[in-house]
Amino acid sequence: DVKVTQSSRYLVKRTGEKVFLECVQDMDHENMFWYRQDPGLGLRLIYFSYDVKMKEKGDIPEGYSVSREKKERFSLILESASTNQTSMYLCASSFYPGQTYEQYFGPGTRLTVT
Amino acid sequence: SQQGEEDPQALSIQEGENATMNCSYKTSINNLQWYRQNSGRGLVHLILIRSNEREKHSGRLRVTLDTSKKSSSLLITASRAADTASYFCATGPVNFGNEKLTFGTGTRLTIIP
């Protein structure tokens, strides 16, 4: 079974802090994704990566950056956390660059910025 | 931007009844997928239907796709308490080289025991 893990289930940070969210997948997937999920808005794509060191902006990249130094690991960075970044963050991975196959999700990180 | 819109936003039914959820989308797609999310957890892939397919079954799930109406439906038969969750449709773009899925806002399904 594909396993996608995220570094924390719950996280509380202060405004202005730099926040790192980590995601690891164990199935050698090329594609990895970061979403945020807010009530009434569904899932919105922040960034995705289709290969090591490659990244593309999603729909809402402002205030975020990402890093993919190894194929299995994709990190989301909040450079200076703000209260409007309080949300559920979901990581996902999928096979095959260039094709939309099913995505496998991690359990999510609920981030609260105070 | 949201591609898929699920309808209804929330649905409550008695255990054993069938549940139907609908998804409408705006642009041409390569495939449409349905996912389930239990409260506070990640999403789990349920079923994928390609644009040249009209109907697909998986266990108690039946998905239909009407590309002329840009809509899909998910039917869960003989519902169980464990089916209580949010259900999302997601669309894959028609142009290859683009791996992104676009998710709808979801239908919250509650099964009453």
Side-chain angles (χ1 to χ4, degrees), chain B residues 3-53:
Chain B
Q3 162 80 309
E5 294 288 336
E6 286 90 342
D7 170 56
Q9 290 188 338
L11 179 62
S12 292
I13 60 172
Q14 296 288 335
E15 193 168 16
E17 293 181 340
N18 296 341
T20 299
M21 288 158 267
N22 303 296
C23 170
S24 59
Y25 57 92
K26 297 171 185 169
T27 60
S28 296
I29 60 171
N30 171 269
N31 66 70
L32 187 143
Q33 304 176 28
W34 285 91
Y35 289 79
R36 184 189 72 229
Q37 183 181 35
N38 291 93
S39 182
R41 309 292 298 185
L43 278 70
V44 174
H45 180 262
L46 295 176
I47 197 165
L48 181 154
I49 186 166
R50 301 205 178 277
S51 59
N52 60 354
E53 298 176 307

Coordinates of all heavy atoms in Angstrom, one line a residue, chain B residues 3-53:
Chain B
Q3 N -13.2 23.8 -10.3 CA -13.8 23.2 -11.6 C -15.0 22.5 -11.3 O -16.0 22.6 -12.0 CB -12.7 22.3 -12.1 CG -13.2 21.3 -13.1 CD -13.4 21.9 -14.5 OE1 -14.0 22.9 -14.7 NE2 -12.8 21.2 -15.5
G4 N -15.0 21.7 -10.2 CA -16.2 20.9 -9.9 C -17.0 21.5 -8.8 O -16.5 22.1 -7.8
E5 N -18.3 21.3 -8.9 CA -19.3 21.7 -7.9 C -20.1 20.6 -7.6 O -20.8 20.0 -8.4 CB -20.1 22.9 -8.4 CG -19.4 24.2 -8.7 CD -18.9 24.9 -7.4 OE1 -19.5 24.6 -6.3 OE2 -17.9 25.6 -7.4
E6 N -20.1 20.2 -6.3 CA -20.9 19.0 -5.9 C -22.3 19.5 -5.4 O -22.5 20.6 -4.9 CB -20.3 18.2 -4.7 CG -19.1 17.4 -5.2 CD -17.8 18.1 -5.1 OE1 -17.8 19.4 -5.0 OE2 -16.7 17.5 -5.1
D7 N -23.2 18.6 -5.6 CA -24.6 18.9 -5.2 C -25.3 17.6 -4.7 O -25.1 16.6 -5.4 CB -25.4 19.5 -6.4 CG -26.9 19.6 -6.2 OD1 -27.2 20.2 -5.2 OD2 -27.6 19.0 -6.9
P8 N -25.9 17.6 -3.6 CA -26.1 18.7 -2.6 C -24.8 19.0 -1.8 O -23.9 18.2 -1.8 CB -27.2 18.2 -1.7 CG -27.0 16.7 -1.7 CD -26.5 16.3 -3.1
Q9 N -24.8 20.0 -1.0 CA -23.7 20.3 -0.2 C -23.7 19.3 1.0 O -22.7 19.0 1.6 CB -23.7 21.7 0.3 CG -23.4 22.7 -0.7 CD -23.3 24.1 -0.2 OE1 -23.8 24.5 0.9 NE2 -22.6 25.0 -0.9
A10 N -24.9 19.0 1.5 CA -25.0 18.0 2.6 C -26.2 17.1 2.3 O -27.2 17.5 1.7 CB -25.2 18.8 3.9
L11 N -26.1 15.9 2.8 CA -27.1 14.9 2.6 C -27.2 13.9 3.8 O -26.1 13.4 4.2 CB -26.7 14.1 1.3 CG -27.6 12.9 0.9 CD1 -29.0 13.4 0.5 CD2 -27.0 12.2 -0.3
S12 N -28.4 13.7 4.3 CA -28.6 12.8 5.4 C -29.6 11.7 5.0 O -30.7 12.1 4.5 CB -29.1 13.5 6.7 OG -28.1 14.4 7.2
I13 N -29.2 10.5 5.2 CA -30.1 9.4 4.8 C -30.1 8.3 5.9 O -29.1 8.2 6.7 CB -29.8 8.8 3.4 CG1 -28.4 8.2 3.4 CG2 -30.0 9.8 2.3 CD1 -28.0 7.4 2.1
Q14 N -31.1 7.4 5.8 CA -31.1 6.3 6.8 C -30.2 5.2 6.2 O -30.0 5.0 5.0 CB -32.5 5.7 6.9 CG -33.5 6.7 7.5 CD -33.3 6.9 9.0 OE1 -32.8 6.0 9.6 NE2 -33.8 8.0 9.5
E15 N -29.6 4.5 7.2 CA -28.8 3.3 6.8 C -29.5 2.4 6.0 O -30.7 2.1 6.2 CB -28.3 2.7 8.1 CG -27.2 1.7 7.9 CD -26.5 1.2 9.2 OE1 -27.1 1.4 10.3 OE2 -25.4 0.6 9.1
G16 N -28.9 1.9 4.9 CA -29.6 1.0 4.0 C -30.1 1.6 2.8 O -30.3 0.9 1.7
E17 N -30.4 2.9 2.8 CA -30.8 3.6 1.6 C -29.7 3.9 0.7 O -28.5 3.8 1.1 CB -31.5 5.0 2.1 CG -32.8 4.8 2.8 CD -33.4 6.1 3.2 OE1 -32.7 7.1 3.2 OE2 -34.6 6.1 3.5
N18 N -30.0 4.3 -0.5 CA -29.0 4.7 -1.5 C -28.7 6.2 -1.4 O -29.7 7.0 -1.1 CB -29.5 4.4 -2.9 CG -29.6 2.9 -3.1 OD1 -29.1 2.1 -2.4 ND2 -30.4 2.5 -4.2
A19 N -27.5 6.6 -1.6 CA -27.1 8.0 -1.6 C -26.6 8.4 -3.0 O -25.8 7.7 -3.6 CB -26.0 8.2 -0.6
T20 N -27.1 9.5 -3.5 CA -26.6 10.0 -4.8 C -26.1 11.4 -4.7 O -26.7 12.3 -4.1 CB -27.8 10.0 -5.8 OG1 -28.3 8.7 -6.0 CG2 -27.3 10.5 -7.2
M21 N -24.9 11.6 -5.2 CA -24.3 12.9 -5.2 C -23.9 13.3 -6.6 O -23.6 12.4 -7.4 CB -23.0 12.9 -4.4 CG -23.2 12.8 -2.9 SD -21.8 12.1 -2.1 CE -22.2 10.4 -2.0
N22 N -24.0 14.6 -6.9 CA -23.7 15.0 -8.3 C -22.6 16.0 -8.3 O -22.3 16.7 -7.4 CB -25.0 15.7 -8.9 CG -26.2 14.8 -8.8 OD1 -26.2 13.8 -9.5 ND2 -27.2 15.2 -8.0
C23 N -21.9 16.0 -9.5 CA -20.8 16.9 -9.7 C -20.9 17.5 -11.1 O -21.1 16.8 -12.0 CB -19.5 16.1 -9.6 SG -18.0 17.0 -10.1
S24 N -20.8 18.8 -11.1 CA -20.8 19.5 -12.4 C -19.4 20.2 -12.6 O -18.8 20.7 -11.6 CB -21.9 20.5 -12.5 OG -21.8 21.5 -11.5
Y25 N -19.0 20.3 -13.8 CA -17.7 20.9 -14.1 C -17.8 21.8 -15.3 O -18.8 21.8 -16.0 CB -16.6 19.9 -14.2 CG -16.9 18.8 -15.3 CD1 -16.4 19.0 -16.6 CD2 -17.6 17.7 -15.1 CE1 -16.6 18.1 -17.6 CE2 -17.8 16.7 -16.0 CZ -17.3 17.0 -17.3 OH -17.6 16.0 -18.3
K26 N -16.7 22.6 -15.6 CA -16.9 23.6 -16.6 C -16.1 23.4 -17.9 O -16.6 23.8 -18.9 CB -16.4 25.0 -16.0 CG -17.3 25.4 -14.8 CD -16.7 26.6 -14.1 CE -17.5 27.0 -12.8 NZ -16.8 28.0 -12.0
T27 N -14.9 22.8 -17.8 CA -14.1 22.7 -19.0 C -13.9 21.2 -19.4 O -14.2 20.3 -18.6 CB -12.8 23.3 -18.8 OG1 -12.1 22.7 -17.7 CG2 -12.9 24.8 -18.5
S28 N -13.4 20.9 -20.5 CA -13.2 19.6 -21.0 C -12.2 18.8 -20.1 O -11.3 19.4 -19.6 CB -12.7 19.6 -22.4 OG -13.6 20.1 -23.3
I29 N -12.5 17.5 -19.9 CA -11.7 16.8 -19.0 C -11.1 15.5 -19.7 O -11.6 15.0 -20.7 CB -12.5 16.4 -17.7 CG1 -13.7 15.5 -18.1 CG2 -12.9 17.6 -17.0 CD1 -14.4 14.9 -16.9
N30 N -10.0 15.0 -19.1 CA -9.5 13.7 -19.5 C -10.1 12.6 -18.6 O -10.4 11.5 -19.1 CB -8.0 13.7 -19.3 CG -7.4 12.3 -19.4 OD1 -7.2 11.6 -18.5 ND2 -7.0 12.0 -20.6
N31 N -10.3 12.9 -17.3 CA -11.0 11.9 -16.4 C -11.6 12.7 -15.3 O -11.3 13.9 -15.0 CB -10.0 10.9 -15.9 CG -8.9 11.5 -15.0 OD1 -9.2 11.9 -13.9 ND2 -7.7 11.5 -15.5
L32 N -12.5 12.0 -14.6 CA -13.1 12.5 -13.4 C -12.9 11.5 -12.3 O -13.1 10.3 -12.5 CB -14.6 12.8 -13.6 CG -15.3 13.6 -12.5 CD1 -16.3 14.6 -13.1 CD2 -16.0 12.6 -11.6
Q33 N -12.6 11.9 -11.1 CA -12.3 11.0 -10.0 C -13.2 11.4 -8.8 O -13.6 12.6 -8.6 CB -10.9 11.1 -9.6 CG -9.9 10.8 -10.7 CD -8.5 11.0 -10.3 OE1 -8.1 10.8 -9.2 NE2 -7.6 11.3 -11.3
W34 N -13.5 10.4 -8.0 CA -14.2 10.7 -6.7 C -13.4 10.2 -5.6 O -12.7 9.2 -5.6 CB -15.6 9.9 -6.7 CG -16.6 10.5 -7.5 CD1 -16.9 10.3 -8.9 CD2 -17.6 11.5 -7.2 NE1 -17.9 11.0 -9.3 CE2 -18.4 11.8 -8.3 CE3 -17.8 12.2 -6.0 CZ2 -19.4 12.7 -8.3 CZ3 -18.9 13.1 -5.9 CH2 -19.7 13.4 -7.1
Y35 N -13.4 11.1 -4.5 CA -12.6 10.8 -3.3 C -13.5 10.9 -2.1 O -14.5 11.6 -2.1 CB -11.5 11.8 -3.1 CG -10.3 11.7 -4.1 CD1 -10.5 12.2 -5.4 CD2 -9.1 11.1 -3.7 CE1 -9.4 12.1 -6.3 CE2 -8.1 11.0 -4.6 CZ -8.2 11.5 -5.9 OH -7.2 11.4 -6.8
R36 N -13.2 10.2 -1.0 CA -13.9 10.2 0.2 C -12.9 10.8 1.3 O -11.7 10.5 1.3 CB -14.3 8.9 0.7 CG -15.2 8.8 2.0 CD -15.4 7.4 2.5 NE -14.2 6.8 3.0 CZ -13.8 5.6 2.7 NH1 -14.4 4.9 1.8 NH2 -12.7 5.1 3.3
Q37 N -13.4 11.6 2.2 CA -12.7 12.1 3.3 C -13.4 11.9 4.6 O -14.5 12.5 4.8 CB -12.3 13.6 3.1 CG -11.4 14.2 4.2 CD -11.1 15.6 4.1 OE1 -12.0 16.4 3.6 NE2 -9.9 16.1 4.4
N38 N -12.9 11.1 5.5 CA -13.4 11.0 6.8 C -13.0 12.2 7.6 O -12.0 12.8 7.4 CB -13.0 9.7 7.5 CG -13.6 8.5 6.8 OD1 -13.0 7.9 5.9 ND2 -14.8 8.2 7.2
S39 N -13.8 12.6 8.6 CA -13.6 13.8 9.4 C -12.2 14.0 9.9 O -11.6 13.1 10.6 CB -14.6 13.8 10.6 OG -14.5 15.0 11.3
G40 N -11.5 15.1 9.5 CA -10.2 15.4 10.0 C -9.1 14.6 9.4 O -8.0 14.6 9.9
R41 N -9.4 13.8 8.3 CA -8.4 12.9 7.7 C -8.1 13.3 6.3 O -8.7 14.3 5.8 CB -8.9 11.5 7.8 CG -9.3 11.0 9.1 CD -8.2 10.9 10.1 NE -7.2 9.9 9.7 CZ -6.2 9.6 10.5 NH1 -6.0 10.2 11.7 NH2 -5.3 8.7 10.1
G42 N -7.1 12.6 5.7 CA -6.8 12.8 4.3 C -7.8 12.2 3.4 O -8.7 11.5 3.8
L43 N -7.7 12.5 2.1 CA -8.7 12.0 1.1 C -8.3 10.6 0.7 O -7.1 10.3 0.6 CB -8.8 12.9 -0.1 CG -9.7 14.1 0.0 CD1 -9.1 15.1 1.0 CD2 -9.9 14.7 -1.3
V44 N -9.2 9.8 0.4 CA -9.0 8.4 -0.2 C -9.7 8.3 -1.5 O -10.8 8.6 -1.7 CB -9.6 7.4 0.8 CG1 -9.4 6.0 0.2 CG2 -8.9 7.4 2.1
H45 N -8.9 7.9 -2.5 CA -9.4 7.7 -3.9 C -10.4 6.6 -3.9 O -10.2 5.5 -3.4 CB -8.2 7.4 -4.8 CG -8.7 7.2 -6.2 ND1 -8.9 6.0 -6.8 CD2 -8.9 8.1 -7.2 CE1 -9.2 6.1 -8.1 NE2 -9.3 7.4 -8.3
L46 N -11.6 6.8 -4.6 CA -12.6 5.8 -4.7 C -12.7 5.2 -6.1 O -12.7 4.0 -6.2 CB -14.0 6.4 -4.4 CG -14.2 6.9 -2.9 CD1 -15.5 7.6 -2.8 CD2 -14.0 5.8 -1.9
I47 N -12.7 6.1 -7.1 CA -13.0 5.6 -8.4 C -12.6 6.7 -9.4 O -12.7 7.8 -9.2 CB -14.5 5.2 -8.6 CG1 -14.7 4.3 -9.8 CG2 -15.4 6.4 -8.5 CD1 -16.0 3.6 -9.8
L48 N -12.1 6.2 -10.6 CA -11.7 7.1 -11.7 C -12.5 6.7 -12.9 O -12.6 5.5 -13.2 CB -10.2 7.0 -12.0 CG -9.6 7.9 -13.0 CD1 -8.1 8.1 -12.7 CD2 -9.7 7.2 -14.4
I49 N -13.1 7.6 -13.6 CA -13.8 7.4 -14.8 C -13.2 8.2 -15.9 O -13.0 9.4 -15.7 CB -15.4 7.5 -14.7 CG1 -16.1 7.1 -16.0 CG2 -15.7 9.0 -14.3 CD1 -17.6 6.9 -15.8
R50 N -12.9 7.7 -17.1 CA -12.3 8.4 -18.2 C -13.4 9.1 -19.0 O -14.5 8.6 -19.0 CB -11.4 7.5 -19.0 CG -10.3 6.8 -18.1 CD -9.1 6.4 -18.9 NE -8.1 5.9 -18.0 CZ -7.2 6.6 -17.3 NH1 -7.3 7.9 -17.4 NH2 -6.4 6.0 -16.5
S51 N -13.0 10.0 -19.8 CA -13.9 10.8 -20.6 C -14.6 10.0 -21.6 O -15.7 10.4 -22.1 CB -13.2 12.0 -21.2 OG -12.2 11.6 -22.1
N52 N -14.1 8.9 -22.0 CA -14.7 8.0 -23.0 C -15.6 6.9 -22.4 O -16.1 6.1 -23.1 CB -13.7 7.4 -24.0 CG -12.7 6.6 -23.3 OD1 -12.7 6.5 -22.1 ND2 -11.9 5.9 -24.1
E53 N -15.7 7.0 -21.1 CA -16.5 6.0 -20.4 C -17.8 6.7 -19.9 O -17.8 7.9 -19.6 CB -15.8 5.4 -19.2 CG -14.5 4.6 -19.6 CD -13.8 4.1 -18.4 OE1 -13.4 5.0 -17.5 OE2 -13.5 2.9 -18.3

